[in-house]
Amino acid sequence: MTAPLRDRGRARVVIIGAGIVGCSLADELTARGWREVTVLDQGPLPAPGGSTSHAPGLVFQTGPSKTMTEFAAYTVRKLGSLDVDGLPCFHPVGGLEIATTEARWADLHRKAGLAASWGVRGELLDAQQCKKLWPLLDEGRVLGGLYTPDDGLARALPACRAQMARAEGRGARFLGRHTVTGIERAAGAVTGVVTDHGVFPADHVVSAAGFWGPVIGSLAGVDVPLLPLAHQYATTAPLPELAGLNDPREEASRPILRYQDRDLYFREHVDRIGIGSYAHRPLPVDPFTVPAYDDAPVMPSSLPFTAEDFAPSWRDSVGLLPALGGSRVADGFNGVFSFTPDGMPVLGESRTLRGFWLAEAVWVTHSAGVAKAVAEWMSDGRPATDVHECDLTRFEDAQRSPAYIAERGAQSFVEVYDVIHPLQPLEQPRPLRTSPFYPRQQELGAAFLEAGGWERPHWYEANAPLAEGLDLPERDAWAARYWSPIAAAEAAVTRERVALYDMTPLRRLEVSGPGALDFLQRMTTNQLAKKPGAVTYTLLLDETGGIRSDLTVARLAPDHFQLGANSPADLDWLLRHAPGDVHVRDITSGTCCIGVWGPLARALVQPLTRDDFSHGAFGYFRAKRTHIGHVPVTALRLSYVGELGWELYTTADLGLRLWDTLWAAGREHGVIAAGRSAFNSLRLEKGYRSWGHDMTTEHDPYEAGLGFAVRPAKGDFLGRAALEGRSEETATRKLACLTLDDPTANVLGKEPVLRDGVPVGYVTSAAYGYTLGRCIAYAWLPATAAVPGTALHLDYFGQRFAATVAQEPLFDPQMTRIRR
């Protein structure tokens, strides 16, 4: 929803929660012209007793998520510009992460690369340099560290005060001691907030209630998938080694210290050290039973310290900082804050209750950045930063059960400081979602990874004999995780014979009704006014021309379309815009899909159907309803691996029969089952983009190399006006294809790209191209560096790999293998 500037002075906004997120949001909204802003909290102000009131204030900016890093970077900039009582609200003491194991030391090299990718200053240090920054360290335990000088300590409560004052100066009001008891609504939209002091009319309500988010959500009939958990924080007795070192007003002078090999962090409190621990058992908290402020022994978010849980962490702390051996834990508490199933915030407006927004599961680290994004979303219809990883719509229905949220939320706590591989799946609850082919995949020894709750085969042990004797470069330990040389064999068979791919987890939507064509024409970029049987690749844009998603749209009948989409957000987006004569529904769970691809795909499929599957009768990007043996299917002639073939869809109850029919017919052609690892390699050889990795709302079609999917001449569509005047020639940045010069080198994604030693971009997707015999990496680069032939380097765990920008596609540029 976009609020025109002229309406922002009249629109009534109620923010529930006066912690760091609520105060930051009030400041950001009023800075954008919103005037009727009321912030409510059940506790006294300015310290109402939520997570902000006890936050230790650590801000480490760098992580695997570009979005979260940008949120943290904005928080550093904003809080650094605020001051209260003569002190800035952010103290840039820096951050130091140390490694005491080889695995962590390697990971810090990777993290230094992430910092370079996202524009954060960072430097790898040896043990002696770490000791110089933190003299209390036992340097004999330390292999090295990552120093980030712009990280530091946020003074959360003063930051709340500063932003409250600014927002109040623009007309906002903050009301403590107001307990929310209900959310009023009418005609599918919020109309007010009920409290113990009366009703506050509202056009927009934002839940920034922290770990009380599920409570507020229940009042609105909107589920909030987060789990409150208690986290231990202890403070030592005064240490002689710190006596006189720190200004009592500033509290600290040395960097925040993270000892992630033992799930610990440390910060100075004048002459004491604060110690935070994630090493203990998960301690879930029921937000519906948390006492009110006046009934809590200290405050609602501060629970009694459980010394027995902290004892191992104290021993580890003394081991790293021997000076603690003469000290003790003087104070401690178990502080409550929020975790989600994937560790990310929950942001955005509910579709089922218009005007009800979530800004939940946000830590102080990212608070101002999140507030800015939500304020932009409310004001302009979209945030400037891509937020698909945080969008409240990202979870599948199967991921919204209380049991799932509890189990995965607790696991998120356990893994806060773990070294997580980008392909590493969560372990439980599994299996949750399986395709109808699952029994056959198990028989073939599928190696399953998980995404979106789906079990996804990445390779099959049954194909191991095919990998014997392959001449493949040796992989380092990181690149070898969740990988097998079998993937190379599966890719080769796809190129040489034929393979079956389980495409069931890819989302399928059905759009139907008298207005279906007009609706899809307005929502997407390509020309869809084609005869039934046509399939079109197209894009969903937002109002600024950013790519929300990419789709394949099959017109099965004049008023019936099948869409290949990406995430639950696509369904949500279409439902938000669909008129009354259009029906949009997700058919993924009730259907399944097999990709039959390879030079022998036609030889396999044609004998099983009476319909003509020749190129002349069933061309590329065409659809046909037919039968494969006894199974009715919708066949789409598409290929995301660059080979002849079809996507064959049927209902879930007939899926196993379809697999068995194709498998039996394919034996004479040497058919195999192939997994996602081979698929990803083949799609990169062909230059096919993956939304959410290679492009997001931050990129337009011309920058992403997808201008061919935009047809302005067809008429108006969402985002068309924003694209006027843009073209591939005017793009200042581009998604470029790189090949690594050394055929033995590998990268995995998110590595920085350097030109003349200076970071100029970052890798989005990467995989070894088995057909080409070298690694392929797609990367965002300045247009001046995206010219084929340009020499660059990729930084991989501190190694510099030479790479060259290549003309794409790398494989079969004439499309002769697909169109035959």
Side-chain angles (χ1 to χ4, degrees):
M1 174 180 288
T2 302
L5 186 60
R6 63 181 179 277
D7 295 333
R8 295 176 200 169
R10 297 191 298 269
R12 299 162 298 181
V13 180
V14 175
I15 299 170
I16 301 172
I20 188 69
V21 178
C23 292
S24 297
L25 181 56
D27 182 45
E28 295 286 342
L29 285 173
T30 54
R32 287 167 174 78
W34 300 76
R35 291 295 175 260
E36 296 293 322
V37 176
T38 300
V39 183
L40 305 174
D41 204 296
Q42 61 185 342
L45 301 181
S51 301
T52 301
S53 299
H54 67 66
L58 281 68
V59 178
F60 277 87
Q61 299 173 75
T62 307
S65 168
K66 176 175 176 286
T67 295
M68 297 300 280
T69 300
E70 289 180 356
F71 285 165
Y74 181 80
T75 301
V76 166
R77 293 195 303 272
K78 183 175 184 181
L79 270 55
S81 71
L82 301 173
D83 66 85
V84 172
D85 300 330
L87 283 179
C89 294
F90 180 77
H91 188 20
V93 293
L96 177 63
E97 301 177 58
I98 59 157
T100 60
T101 64
E102 292 292 345
R104 182 69 62 182
W105 185 223
D107 190 60
L108 291 185
H109 281 76
R110 180 177 73 104
K111 200 164 189 181
L114 290 171
S117 288
W118 313 145
V120 178
R121 289 199 301 157
E123 178 185 4
L124 290 166
L125 306 180
D126 61 27
Q128 291 73 30
Q129 291 171 308
C130 293
K131 173 81 170 179
K132 186 174 181 180
L133 285 173
W134 253 86
L136 300 186
L137 277 173
D138 177 0
E139 66 181 295
R141 292 176 177 260
V142 178
L143 299 178
L146 173 63
Y147 176 52
T148 45
D150 299 323
D151 292 337
L153 296 168
R155 300 172 65 232
L157 287 177
C160 287
R161 288 172 54 198
Q163 293 180 98
M164 287 173 63
R166 296 206 313 190
E168 287 174 331
R170 304 183 192 112
R173 57 178 175 167
F174 289 76
L175 302 175
R177 299 289 190 176
H178 280 64
T179 300
V180 174
T181 59
I183 304 294
E184 292 188 336
R185 41 196 147 153
V190 294
T191 59
V193 176
V194 183
T195 76
D196 55 353
H197 289 278
V199 177
F200 292 81
D203 303 297
H204 301 270
V205 174
V206 184
S207 177
F211 63 80
W212 285 286
V215 178
I216 301 302
S218 70
L219 298 177
V222 175
D223 65 305
V224 180
L226 68 80
L227 175 72
L229 286 149
H231 160 61
Q232 291 200 296
Y233 193 80
T235 308
T236 68
L239 294 172
E241 293 82 357
L242 298 183
L245 176 67
N246 295 312
D247 182 333
R249 281 165 53 84
E250 292 186 341
E251 293 192 355
S253 59
R254 290 172 180 157
I256 312 160
L257 178 65
R258 289 210 282 191
Y259 182 21
Q260 291 165 298
D261 289 322
R262 290 293 186 270
D263 296 310
L264 293 168
Y265 63 82
F266 306 87
R267 60 152 295 184
E268 294 172 326
H269 291 280
V270 191
D271 59 351
R272 303 167 186 252
I273 291 179
I275 307 169
S277 172
Y278 294 99
H280 54 84
R281 61 193 169 94
L283 300 168
V285 174
D286 182 353
F288 291 88
T289 62
V290 173
Y293 187 92
D294 292 330
D295 298 328
V298 181
M299 56 183 169
S301 63
S302 182
L303 304 181
F305 188 65
T306 50
E308 65 278 9
D309 288 310
F310 194 74
S313 292
W314 178 252
R315 289 194 295 271
D316 288 333
S317 299
V318 172
L320 183 70
L321 307 174
L324 297 184
S327 186
R328 61 184 174 82
V329 173
D331 299 291
F333 65 95
N334 291 1
V336 183
F337 62 140
S338 304
F339 286 81
T340 60
D342 59 5
M344 301 292 279
V346 181
L347 312 178
E349 182 188 20
S350 169
R351 177 178 51 80
T352 56
L353 183 59
R354 296 187 310 278
F356 185 78
W357 296 78
L358 296 180
E360 296 291 9
V362 182
W363 297 3
V364 171
T365 303
H366 310 103
S367 56
V370 164
K372 173 178 177 286
V374 174
E376 290 170 340
W377 210 339
M378 295 174 67
S379 302
D380 307 324
R382 69 182 286 271
T385 301
D386 166 57
V387 293
H388 80 273
E389 296 173 309
C390 312
D391 195 310
L392 62 86
T393 64
R394 71 187 181 273
F395 295 112
E396 305 280 353
D397 288 344
Q399 298 173 302
R400 291 182 170 273
S401 70
Y404 186 96
I405 293 165
E407 194 163 359
R408 287 287 175 98
Q411 189 65 22
S412 291
F413 176 90
V414 170
E415 293 181 346
V416 162
Y417 279 171
D418 286 1
V419 177
I420 303 295
H421 192 277
L423 292 177
Q424 182 174 330
L426 291 171
E427 296 178 0
Q428 297 296 334
R430 293 180 64 191
L432 182 62
R433 307 176 79 187
T434 59
S435 80
F437 321 129
Y438 187 66
R440 299 293 183 264
Q441 294 166 343
Q442 289 178 301
E443 292 168 6
L444 293 170
F448 291 102
L449 300 183
E450 181 263 1
W454 286 102
E455 296 295 322
R456 300 188 179 201
H458 274 242
W459 64 85
Y460 293 85
E461 288 297 328
N463 297 325
L466 300 173
E468 294 177 1
L470 288 180
D471 184 18
L472 296 173
E474 185 176 346
R475 292 195 168 211
D476 66 90
W478 187 253
R481 291 185 68 186
Y482 306 105
W483 174 85
S484 168
I486 296 171
E490 293 175 357
V493 171
T494 306
R495 292 276 186 242
E496 297 164 4
R497 300 200 301 268
V498 63
L500 305 183
Y501 288 82
D502 180 3
M503 306 302 289
T504 301
L506 300 185
R507 185 166 307 278
R508 290 170 292 287
L509 307 178
E510 181 183 77
V511 179
S512 61
L517 175 61
D518 289 342
F519 168 62
L520 290 173
Q521 285 281 73
R522 290 194 306 273
M523 296 300 297
T524 69
T525 60
N526 214 333
Q527 176 59 264
L528 303 181
K530 303 173 182 177
K531 293 180 180 179
V535 181
T536 307
Y537 177 81
T538 189
L539 306 172
L540 289 176
L541 304 182
D542 61 24
E543 293 86 349
T544 67
I547 304 172
R548 284 193 58 93
S549 189
D550 62 343
L551 311 173
T552 52
V553 179
R555 191 176 191 185
L556 304 179
D559 59 356
H560 183 194
F561 296 80
Q562 179 175 305
L563 279 57
N566 286 295
S567 75
D570 295 342
L571 174 65
D572 183 83
W573 182 254
L574 293 174
L575 287 172
R576 287 176 188 269
H577 290 85
D581 62 346
V582 174
H583 306 286
V584 182
R585 69 186 186 106
D586 191 326
I587 61 172
T588 308
S589 297
T591 56
C592 58
C593 178
I594 298 176
V596 185
W597 291 312
L600 301 181
R602 183 176 287 115
L604 189 163
V605 174
Q606 183 62 80
L608 300 174
T609 179
R610 295 182 179 180
D611 285 301
D612 187 351
F613 270 52
S614 69
H615 182 64
F618 196 162
Y620 190 53
F621 266 76
R622 299 292 299 172
K624 184 177 292 190
R625 282 172 164 162
T626 183
H627 287 79
I628 299 296
H630 296 90
V631 180
V633 302
T634 298
L636 306 187
R637 183 146 174 221
L638 303 175
S639 175
Y640 286 91
V641 299
E643 295 292 340
L644 170 70
W646 291 266
E647 294 178 357
L648 302 176
Y649 298 87
T650 192
T651 51
D653 59 322
L654 292 169
L656 200 57
R657 183 59 177 260
L658 176 62
W659 179 282
D660 289 344
T661 300
L662 293 167
W663 189 258
R667 298 306 293 269
E668 66 177 286
H669 303 293
V671 73
I672 65 164
R676 296 290 297 180
S677 187
F679 176 91
N680 196 46
S681 170
L682 296 169
R683 71 104 179 162
L684 284 175
E685 289 182 340
K686 195 61 184 163
Y688 293 137
R689 278 69 166 137
S690 172
W691 186 86
H693 295 94
D694 300 318
M695 70 278 192
T696 68
T697 54
E698 295 183 7
H699 312 108
D700 74 35
Y702 304 111
E703 296 170 328
L706 298 175
F708 67 87
V710 180
R711 294 288 185 272
K714 77 168 186 174
D716 195 27
F717 56 82
L718 187 60
R720 180 180 183 274
L723 295 183
E724 290 183 8
R726 301 192 207 179
S727 67
E728 291 186 9
E729 290 69 32
T730 63
T732 58
R733 59 178 177 174
K734 290 187 177 181
L735 183 66
C737 176
L738 286 69
T739 56
L740 272 64
D741 296 355
D742 181 351
T744 68
N746 264 295
V747 298
L748 299 183
K750 300 188 178 180
E751 295 84 4
V753 182
L754 303 103
R755 189 177 193 182
D756 299 327
V758 178
V760 294
Y762 60 91
V763 174
T764 59
S765 296
Y768 196 84
Y770 302 110
T771 313
L772 303 174
R774 65 185 63 247
C775 186
I776 304 162
Y778 272 78
W780 280 102
L781 299 172
T784 54
V787 179
T790 303
L792 302 165
H793 284 85
L794 307 183
D795 187 313
Y796 178 76
F797 286 85
Q799 300 180 71
R800 296 286 175 89
F801 292 153
T804 303
V805 178
Q807 187 71 47
E808 58 172 335
L810 299 169
F811 180 79
D812 188 26
Q814 303 304 317
M815 302 284 284
T816 56
R817 298 177 69 90
I818 291 178
R819 295 190 173 108
R820 60 178 171 181

